[in-house]
Amino acid sequence: MDTFHLLDHDRVVFFTGAGISAESGVPTYRGSGGIWSQYRWQEVACEAAFRIDPDAVLRFHEKRRALVAACPPNPAHCHIASWQQRHAGITVITQNTDGLHQRAGSTDVIELHGSLWRLRCREHGPMADVSSDGAYRQTQCPACNARLRPDITWFDDAVDVAVFHAASQAIAAADLFVAVGTSAAVWPAAGLIDEAAHRGISTVEINPQETGASAAFGSHLRGLASVMVPRCFPLDNS
Ligand code: NAD
């Protein structure tokens, strides 16, 4: 079994997807039992739907928040957070919107697709809306009274340019890139894997299955995130 000594690396990026939260109980979007087998995204997860029926869109996101609030971070999230506490050069780039990295104690987290725990005003930008039960605390911008929408990258939204740039910069400085639980099917996020591969740095894929991006990685750890992350990046090698 490969092990990696993170203290041998100056800058490390963990790039995570829905698979890292699967063992916490957060459902994936696709496949049987996935969210899009129960809902049509055209009705709940796009700007057009929000314009037509904002209450229906907010109700859908409140249900997602309540579900995620009941899901604890798992050993993969917790182990990455423990490493961040002992190594200043570790950045998490996540495609997830669930906030589980932060609940595990991670601080340097770049959220490519936004967060369920923030709302956004078109004029005044994102704002935190933290609740323990899922209900939204505010629906109007305190500055301009505009209706707030979830700060999530929906189907017809572009990824925030500044956030994507920050992710690219973190990869440009990294000497180790570890992808955990992503199918690498969602773009432009998946392009970050190519950015790491083209730099010629060490790259590791943690996933029980082969993915469309597997060929881009130098090492493959086939197994569950909650097992592979603690086992292959041991803290006691510090
Ligand atoms: P995906 O659902 O397309 O792929 C998940 C990948 O994780 C698969 O390759 C699967 O083999 C792997 N996987 C499943 N269980 C795993 C485990 N226990 N350990 C390690 N790997 C495991 O997810 P994606 O690539 O992140 O793309 C889907 C999009 O949907 C992303 O934009 C993501 O943000 C979003 N999404 C987010 C959440 C969340 O916030 N938790 C949940 C569902 C979807």
Side-chain angles (χ1 to χ4, degrees):
M1 175 62 62
D2 290 335
T3 54
F4 297 85
H5 306 304
L6 294 191
L7 292 178
D8 292 346
H9 295 273
D10 291 330
R11 309 287 313 177
V12 181
V13 166
F14 282 93
F15 175 63
T16 67
I20 196 172
S21 295
E23 292 168 81
S24 294
V26 181
T28 57
Y29 282 176
R30 299 172 188 83
S32 67
I35 294 157
W36 304 137
S37 64
Q38 299 160 47
Y39 292 90
R40 292 184 70 235
W41 65 260
Q42 293 88 340
E43 290 168 7
V44 292
C46 63
E47 181 66 33
F50 189 66
R51 259 186 265 118
I52 294 166
D53 191 347
D55 291 330
V57 172
L58 291 180
R59 275 197 304 276
F60 167 78
H61 286 82
E62 283 188 330
K63 274 194 198 158
R64 293 271 305 139
R65 283 156 58 108
L67 190 152
V68 165
C71 295
N74 68 53
H77 301 104
C78 295
H79 195 80
I80 292 170
S82 297
W83 258 116
Q84 280 192 311
Q85 278 147 25
R86 64 176 59 195
H87 187 326
I90 298 181
T91 302
V92 174
I93 302 173
T94 189
Q95 299 167 82
N96 297 341
T97 58
D98 54 33
L100 286 181
H101 283 295
Q102 290 90 336
R103 274 172 59 199
S106 278
T107 44
D108 191 1
V109 182
I110 297 172
E111 294 176 309
L112 282 177
H113 295 158
S115 171
L116 277 169
W117 306 104
R118 284 192 304 271
L119 290 161
R120 189 201 306 163
C121 169
R122 280 184 198 82
E123 273 298 301
H124 297 97
M127 50 197 82
D129 185 85
V130 180
S131 63
S132 54
D133 56 0
Y136 283 108
R137 294 283 170 261
Q138 50 185 344
T139 53
Q140 284 168 306
C141 174
C144 70
N145 237 17
R147 183 104 198 200
L148 295 171
R149 55 160 279 182
D151 187 24
I152 299 276
T153 307
W154 283 333
F155 279 84
D156 48 0
D157 291 330
V159 171
D160 185 288
V161 175
V163 173
F164 197 80
H165 181 68
S168 281
Q169 294 286 99
I171 291 168
D175 54 2
L176 175 64
F177 177 89
V178 185
V180 188
T182 176
S183 64
V186 173
W187 289 78
L192 294 172
I193 296 171
D194 293 334
E195 288 187 23
H198 287 146
R199 288 204 47 242
I201 59 174
S202 301
T203 52
V204 182
E205 177 180 62
I206 298 180
N207 199 309
Q209 294 175 9
E210 195 167 331
T211 71
S214 291
F217 290 91
S219 305
H220 306 93
L221 305 174
R222 294 277 169 246
L224 301 176
S226 68
V227 175
M228 291 309 194
V229 172
R231 186 186 290 170
C232 300
F233 303 93
L235 291 171
D236 54 13
N237 283 311
S238 51

